[in-house]
């Protein structure tokens, strides 16, 4: 029994005892003698009045119980009632419209803006949610053409781009089976070497302003040169060696001529331009979230909607904002890099979060990292730059603690005015974590989910046939 219910019971028992004592005294020495009631009559009167007192005590108990109920008991009831209520509204501008569905979200939590960033979304109430465009932008000096895309696709899948012919880009970025990564904590490159970081998905990288976990490449063209000569990835001795190998393959000559014009030599720059053009077609605007934002109000479940509201009110949007859910996107590239982890927590040791401090290492391993897109994040585990977290709910717990400081109560020292201010940042409860996870699933592409299911089913069939 918790302390709240002990308090309630205590008040009830005391009210009852005091009430009964007063009543019995009144009936025995005042009302009884005055109205000349016999003993039986006095008991009857006491019982009648006693029922009243009992009812009063009961009311008191109910009132106190409601006030003291743990939020977790009452809140889901309120949530359900609010989220699932379709409302017909009269449109003030256009008169009575056909019954329209409005979705009312109770504000799950009020957060004051904290000093985790400078982005203009600190005023949560005006955050505008946006869908992903149906096409990715391409730079002026490398316009996307069908010929270039076809060539880039071929290169992306060509193992000739690795020193010993064992690896292609698609080895670590599986776009056929679905998620655009390799499903490993850290990638396995040439000669079976394990790299230091988790392979991010290539889906929607076309919308990112900086690439790699530490943001060290500013374009897909520049990025593609990295893995080719990385000794733990494709292991080519030099970019010139890549160029020579592709030149030697006569079947590539026609494809390059179609993509870049005859007489244009095959160069490493054209190789990466073709790969980048192909990558700009790897986008996923087909998610429940995008359908919801485009006007299909049934596209999200009540849990996903609740999670979406929490994602905003907790402040996840201060870093994962815009159509690609990243401060490092071409839509608004003002805040691409963030310190991670910001707040010291036990998660730091548990998941070795400071082991690698990314770009521009800060003090104590608190380095600076590119804010990743969260599109398809439910399909791309394990999570974080070192792939150390294998459960999405745990990734959400980690994020809310290390980036938003949702770990409990604090006294925060403000050095400018020399005062402590109390800050209440309770940990997320399981309900909230699950709602956010549900919302993250709404960022998964329908097409990719289908492909993954299909490839799993095929793997099942292959297994059964063996
Ligand atoms: C051995 C596995 C492996 C191979 C092969 C590989 N990659 Fe990667 N890729 C990775 C890893 C690991 C990272 C993250 C590295 C980092 O951030 O330091 C990455 C990062 C990327 C990114 C950046 C994604 C983002 O969100 O920032 C893109 C784009 C990409 N790779 C495309 C390619 C292309 C194109 C090729 C072929 C030329 C390729 N990769 C080959 C493992 C691989
Ligand atoms: C202060 C900026 C910031 C805030 C606030 C923030 N994130 Fe992040 N998030 C990041 C950075 C930076 C990373 C990359 C961390 C790394 O290096 O592994 C990241 C990574 C993630 C990942 C793992 C992505 C992957 O592909 O492995 C998830 C999931 C995530 N964030 C969800 C959330 C959620 C949910 C919230 C709100 C509770 C949130 N984030 C709040 C900056 C932030």
């Amino acid at each position: 029994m918790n302390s709240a219910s002990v308090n309630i019971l205590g008040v009830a028992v005391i009210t009852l005892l005091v009430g009964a004592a007063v009543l019995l005294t009144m009936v025995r020495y005042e009302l009884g003698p005055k109205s000349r009631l016999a003993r039986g009559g006095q008991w009857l009167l006491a019982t009648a009045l006693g029922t009243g007192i009992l009812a009063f005590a009961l009311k008191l108990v109910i009132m106190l119980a409601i006030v003291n109920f743990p939020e977790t008991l009452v809140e889901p009831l309120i949530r359900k009632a609010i989220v699932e209520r379709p409302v017909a509204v009269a449109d003030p501008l256009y008169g009575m419209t056909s019954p329209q569905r409005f979705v009312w979200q109770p504000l799950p939590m009020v957060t004051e803006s904290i000093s985790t960033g400078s982005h203009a979304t600190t005023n949560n109430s005006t955050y505008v949610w946006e869908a992903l465009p149906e096409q990715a932008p391409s730079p002026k000096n490398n316009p996307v053409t069908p010929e270039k895309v076809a060539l880039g696709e071929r290169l992306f899948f060509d193992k000739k781009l690795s020193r010993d012919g064992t690896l292609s880009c698609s080895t670590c970025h599986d776009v056929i089976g679905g998620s655009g990564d390799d499903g490993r904590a850290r990638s396995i490159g040439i000669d079976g070497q394990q790299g230091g970081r988790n392979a991010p998905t290539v889906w929607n990288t076309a919308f990112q302003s900086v690439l790699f976990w530490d943001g060290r490449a500013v374009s897909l063209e520049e990025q593609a040169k990295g893995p080719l000569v990385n000794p733990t990835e494709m292991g080519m001795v030099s970019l010139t060696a890549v160029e020579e190998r592709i030149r030697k393959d006569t079947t590539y000559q026609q494809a390059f001529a179609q993509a870049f014009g005859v007489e244009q030599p095959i160069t490493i720059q054209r190789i990466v331009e073709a790969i980048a053009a192909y990558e700009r077609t790897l986008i996923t605007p087909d998610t429940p979230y995008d359908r919801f934002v485009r006007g299909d109000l049934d596209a999200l479940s009540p849990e996903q909607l609740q999670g979406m509201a929490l994602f905003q009110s907790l402040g996840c949007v201060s870093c994962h904002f815009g159509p690609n859910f990243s401060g490092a996107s071409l839509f608004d590239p003002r805040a691409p890099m963030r310190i991670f982890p910001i707040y010291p927590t036990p998660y730091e040791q548990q998941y070795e979060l400071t082991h690698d401090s990314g770009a521009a290492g800060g003090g104590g391993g608190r380095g600076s990292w590119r804010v990743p897109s969260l599109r398809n994040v439910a399909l791309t585990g394990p999570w974080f730059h070192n792939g150390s977290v294998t459960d999405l709910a745990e990734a959400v717990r980690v994020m809310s603690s290390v980036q938003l400081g949702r770990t409990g109560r604090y006294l925060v020292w403000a050095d400018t005015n020399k005062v402590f201010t109390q800050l209440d940042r309770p940990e997320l409860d399981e309900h909230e974590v699950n709602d956010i996870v549900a919302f993250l699933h709404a960022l998964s592409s329908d097409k990719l989910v289908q492909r993954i299911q299909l490839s799993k089913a095929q793997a099942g069939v292959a297994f059964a046939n063996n």
Side-chain angles (χ1 to χ4, degrees), residues 10 25 56 61 71 77 91 93 95-96 104 154 161 165 180 195 205 233-234 268 285 289 292 306 325 360 461 463:
T25 321
F56 178 68
V61 169
E71 242 174 85
L77 306 176
D91 187 319
L93 281 179
M96 187 70 186
W104 298 89
R154 188 175 159 196
L161 292 182
T205 48
E233 291 186 345
M234 300 165 96
I268 187 64
Y289 163 80
F292 176 80
Q306 183 69 24
F325 290 84
V461 170
F463 184 71

Side-chain angles (χ1 to χ4, degrees), residues 169 172-173 197 200 211-213 216 223 227 233 279 370:
C169 309
C172 300
H173 302 285
R197 291 183 185 160
L211 297 145
F212 287 125
W213 284 101
R216 65 185 184 276
Q223 189 286 325
E233 291 186 345
E279 287 174 314
R370 190 271 314 258

Side-chain angles (χ1 to χ4, degrees), residues 212 220-230 239 268-269 272:
F212 287 125
L220 285 171
E221 286 80 357
E222 184 191 336
Q223 189 286 325
K225 291 177 188 164
L228 294 171
V229 290
N230 185 320
L239 291 173
I268 187 64
Q269 191 55 28
V272 296

Side-chain angles (χ1 to χ4, degrees), residues 75-88 100-106 292 297-298 300-306 431 435:
E75 218 196 33
L77 306 176
I78 302 175
R79 273 186 194 178
K80 252 201 148 54
I82 299 181
V83 174
E84 289 173 1
R85 188 184 57 195
V87 221
Q100 224 179 331
R101 271 196 60 204
F102 270 63
V103 187
W104 298 89
Q105 274 304 102
F292 176 80
L297 297 187
D298 292 317
L300 298 184
S301 69
E303 289 74 27
Q304 292 177 325
L305 209 50
Q306 183 69 24
H431 223 96
D435 286 348

